[in-house]
Amino acid sequence: MSKPRLYSGMQPSADSLQIGNYIGALMQWRDLQESYEAFFSVVDLHALTQPSNPADLRAKTRRTAAQYIAAGIEPSRSTLYVQSHVRAHAELAWILSTITGFGEASRMTQFKDKSARYGADATSVGLFTYPVLMAADILLYQTDIVPVGDDQKQHVELTRDLAERFNSRYGEAFTVPMPVIQKDTARIYDLQNPAAKMSKSAESDAGVLWLLDDPAVSAKKVMRAVTDSDGTVRYDRENKPGVSNLLVIYAALTGRQMPAIEDEYAGRGYGDFKKGLADVVVEEFGPVRARALELLDDPAELDRVLAANAERADEVADATLADVYDKIGLLRRL
Ligand code: ATP
Ligand code: LTN
């Protein structure tokens, strides 16, 4: 029997991913690729909604792909590709935009937040239709599940609505996907400001652990992480956000239960605990970083892997697109 399909992606919006991306997304993708037929994209077309220069975008796209692989996404098992390599994405996005309500798209909270932040002059139509392109990504592959962070849930709901609308108007063309929302406990916060989510686009990078940071730099950032004056290593998100965040990272990377870690550090200071965590971080990310840098050392080979995977993606995507064109009444080209 064939496996259910999974789709997810990330924008190539930075030179390095941060450990929130690793713990909150990549570790799950890596596990899920065993039981699902998985498609993972580097969504470079989406990244065009933010200003960047062409050489940077190209570099970030390769770097993001290399980090997926280094983190354990296997391009021989899962389809790992660059979104713009598969033309069907932009084509289906156009079709879907014609069945998306203007009001419906206007309700997307990410658009409202981002456009308020950028200002009217810097807000593009592409930013507005971002969720429609995301729907195309998902629907092209007859996706069953979409693992994403909470902030993307509304976009997956829109995707479901569009799939159902198309299917009922023109006939069954799409699988209606289910969002799989990451657990709150997998959310990582900024080491310097534990009230804010760790993010690639944070203003200051002092509290961000980058996957590609030198291990000594990561260790130093852990040692300098904000804690509190209570002195006990205990999980209490409300009153001890800094220490709780470090515990979440520790537990996620070691696979150990929180109480066992609290016990191990009972009666010892934060210094000891941070030292322990710094060792865990260096041990986990040292090999990931080394592998990513090795892949980036041979861009021709990396490009070849991405091209082969794009070909696999093309096959599935083209079949869906052809069916959609047919159903919606576009004249077939002989
Ligand atoms: P940007 O700042 O460019 O928006 P980001 O680092 O916030 O980037 P996204 O590209 O929005 O990350 O997200 C990619 C994936 O990583 C998503 O699945 C998201 O839920 C997950 N992710 C991002 N940041 C964190 C975090 N701090 N903790 C847990 N998961 C995270
Ligand atoms: N918008 C998502 C990235 C993304 C995505 C997708 C995720 C683009 N297309 C399809 C899942 C499925 C983000 O910013 N994290």
Side-chain angles (χ1 to χ4, degrees), residues 87-106:
R87 307 231 161 173
H89 290 253
E91 291 187 44
L92 182 62
W94 172 256
I95 303 287
L96 293 177
S97 76
T98 66
I99 64 161
T100 307
F102 188 83
E104 190 174 36
S106 307

Side-chain angles (χ1 to χ4, degrees), residues 228-289:
D228 52 56
S229 54
D230 162 60
T232 50
V233 177
R234 184 166 49 82
Y235 182 84
D236 176 350
R237 184 68 94 181
E238 200 138 297
N239 301 306
K240 298 165 66 64
V243 172
S244 300
N245 188 38
L246 299 180
L247 271 165
V248 167
I249 298 174
Y250 202 123
L253 296 183
T254 56
R256 290 174 60 191
Q257 298 296 319
M258 204 83 84
I261 304 168
E262 290 173 342
D263 282 351
E264 182 181 340
Y265 289 99
R268 297 160 65 181
Y270 289 155
D272 261 11
F273 171 56
K274 285 174 164 179
K275 178 77 182 54
L277 177 59
D279 290 345
V280 166
V281 165
V282 167
E283 202 171 303
E284 177 84 11
F285 295 119
V288 175
R289 173 176 185 263

Side-chain angles (χ1 to χ4, degrees), residues 11 46 49-50 108-119 122-123 127 130 152:
Q11 292 193 55
H46 278 110
T49 58
Q50 278 163 317
M108 295 295 119
T109 56
Q110 180 168 297
F111 171 74
K112 289 196 269 187
D113 293 348
K114 285 195 179 175
S115 58
R117 221 180 314 141
Y118 298 171
T123 296
L127 189 67
Y130 179 114
Q152 299 298 313

Side-chain angles (χ1 to χ4, degrees), residues 98-320:
T98 66
I99 64 161
T100 307
F102 188 83
E104 190 174 36
S106 307
R107 284 194 291 277
M108 295 295 119
T109 56
Q110 180 168 297
F111 171 74
K112 289 196 269 187
D113 293 348
K114 285 195 179 175
S115 58
R117 221 180 314 141
Y118 298 171
D121 289 345
T123 296
S124 66
V125 173
L127 189 67
F128 184 64
T129 57
Y130 179 114
V132 179
L133 178 59
M134 179 162 161
D137 299 343
I138 297 166
L139 297 181
L140 278 172
Y141 299 91
Q142 307 296 342
T143 301
D144 296 290
I145 71 157
V146 187
V148 280
D150 197 38
D151 60 324
Q152 299 298 313
K153 186 167 179 225
Q154 197 186 24
H155 293 165
V156 182
E157 297 294 345
L158 173 72
T159 305
R160 290 171 56 83
D161 290 346
L162 294 178
E164 281 166 358
R165 190 171 305 155
F166 189 99
N167 288 348
S168 73
R169 273 193 206 164
Y170 301 108
E172 293 287 323
F174 299 125
T175 300
V176 180
M178 288 293 297
V180 172
I181 306 301
Q182 282 144 24
K183 286 194 224 81
D184 235 15
T185 45
R187 176 158 285 210
I188 308 301
Y189 295 85
D190 191 285
L191 299 187
Q192 289 301 318
N193 174 15
K197 178 179 102 89
M198 192 180 285
S199 145
K200 283 189 243 107
S201 48
E203 267 168 32
S204 150
D205 96 333
V208 180
L209 288 176
W210 300 106
L211 235 53
L212 300 185
D213 258 349
D214 190 287
V217 173
S218 301
K220 213 174 275 172
K221 284 182 178 171
V222 171
M223 296 309 292
R224 289 187 186 149
V226 166
T227 50
D228 52 56
S229 54
D230 162 60
T232 50
V233 177
R234 184 166 49 82
Y235 182 84
D236 176 350
R237 184 68 94 181
E238 200 138 297
N239 301 306
K240 298 165 66 64
V243 172
S244 300
N245 188 38
L246 299 180
L247 271 165
V248 167
I249 298 174
Y250 202 123
L253 296 183
T254 56
R256 290 174 60 191
Q257 298 296 319
M258 204 83 84
I261 304 168
E262 290 173 342
D263 282 351
E264 182 181 340
Y265 289 99
R268 297 160 65 181
Y270 289 155
D272 261 11
F273 171 56
K274 285 174 164 179
K275 178 77 182 54
L277 177 59
D279 290 345
V280 166
V281 165
V282 167
E283 202 171 303
E284 177 84 11
F285 295 119
V288 175
R289 173 176 185 263
R291 177 81 182 111
L293 294 180
E294 189 183 292
L295 289 160
L296 290 167
D297 244 4
D298 189 354
E301 171 59 16
L302 182 59
D303 289 357
R304 200 193 54 73
V305 169
L306 292 173
N309 276 245
E311 221 165 285
R312 225 154 64 202
D314 260 337
E315 266 176 46
V316 180
D318 285 346
T320 301

Side-chain angles (χ1 to χ4, degrees), residues 41-119:
S41 61
V42 179
V43 293
D44 55 346
L45 295 174
H46 278 110
L48 294 174
T49 58
Q50 278 163 317
S52 85
N53 78 53
D56 271 1
L57 177 60
R58 243 186 308 275
K60 287 173 182 171
T61 300
R62 274 210 191 96
R63 293 174 78 90
T64 302
Q67 289 170 89
Y68 283 10
I69 299 172
I73 305 299
E74 297 169 45
S76 54
R77 173 200 291 246
S78 300
T79 303
L80 188 180
Y81 70 101
V82 174
Q83 184 190 32
S84 66
H85 290 179
V86 176
R87 307 231 161 173
H89 290 253
E91 291 187 44
L92 182 62
W94 172 256
I95 303 287
L96 293 177
S97 76
T98 66
I99 64 161
T100 307
F102 188 83
E104 190 174 36
S106 307
R107 284 194 291 277
M108 295 295 119
T109 56
Q110 180 168 297
F111 171 74
K112 289 196 269 187
D113 293 348
K114 285 195 179 175
S115 58
R117 221 180 314 141
Y118 298 171

